[in-house]
Amino acid sequence: MFLAADGESGKRFGNETIRVNGAGQLSIKLPAALAHLANAPHGRYVLDATVRFRHRGQEWRDRITANRAVAYRIHHDVARGRWYVTASWQRATALVLPLPVALAQGVVGVDMNDDHLAAWRLDTHGNPVGEPQRFFYDLTGSADHRDAQIRHALSRLLHCTRRFGATAIAIEDLDFTDGKSREKHGRNTHFRRLVSRFPTARLRARLVSMAAEQDICIVAVDPAYTSRWGAKHWQKPLATPTRRISRHDAASIAVGRRALGHPIRRRTAPPPHHQSAGAGHRTVQAASGARGCEEPRPHVPGPRTRCAPPDCGPKAGDQCAQHRSGHAAEHEFRKQDSLPLSL
């Protein structure tokens, strides 16, 4: 006694005949001859018992959330007197593409936060395209609730990436282990409490597994100063009266530019009368080999004014008298006659 049905990608929960939703509720599509026995809309029969997969249950939830094909087999164990449901699917081999090939269509930079994912699409030149995207989730409540929230947020992120036409997602390679957070942040209990409930490793592992099913590459970048430099160089220029750019949106641009190999810092525009577009705004991107492209500008010794340096100009004069260390009179030996103590 058994009933089996093959899955089909694109159908709801990956199977049209035997359907199991995220809560474990199982329903069967009845044939036309038994349609009068249906207890649910669209000729479906819902079983009272719920289904739970203990082995690879997270991977199964990822597939049904993305509507990927899942085959089911319902069979009866005569010895135990129980009914069992077996789910099976074909796992695609994740191919490791070269980085230039993965970034050929641009990248979607993602900044991971405590309550949402901030994403922005960048073209191959590192310029943000379109509007910023935010995928919110709630990490309060039970473990199942938090897991479902993360799964749905990642599903929306992957669908948005496919809709943009990009084939790569850039994320920060965060490492919030307990030892490192205690050593680095010390008594900052608020930040340590935030880090303790932020599922960095689970979110990253889930994103990699779900992206492999969608043929999307994941590029991990160094998270150093992405939020600070993103807010400094990208938050204000991209803000408009009708669009507010958050610090996290700017950080997603910094993450994407670092994955593409571009510097995060933006060079300032030249004066209006030196711009090729008249008085319009024009910003020149810094080259990858520019000195100090992601560091503060080096300190230039000398006066801070724009006057001529002391060693040039028509009125420079004898600089030997101005620099006391190099003046000859400073090292000249002078002899003075002794004066009598009394006349």
Side-chain angles (χ1 to χ4, degrees), residues 59 63 68 89-95 209 212-215:
E59 188 175 352
R63 293 191 66 88
R68 306 287 291 179
W89 56 87
Q90 184 178 2
R91 302 183 63 182
T93 304
L95 300 177
S209 62
E213 298 291 338
Q214 301 287 341
D215 296 332

Side-chain angles (χ1 to χ4, degrees), residues 231-254:
K232 180 180 179 181
H233 300 292
W234 292 96
Q235 184 176 5
K236 185 177 179 180
L238 293 177
T240 62
T242 59
R243 182 178 66 180
R244 297 186 61 182
I245 304 300
S246 66
R247 184 184 182 92
H248 308 296
D249 298 331
S252 65
I253 298 178

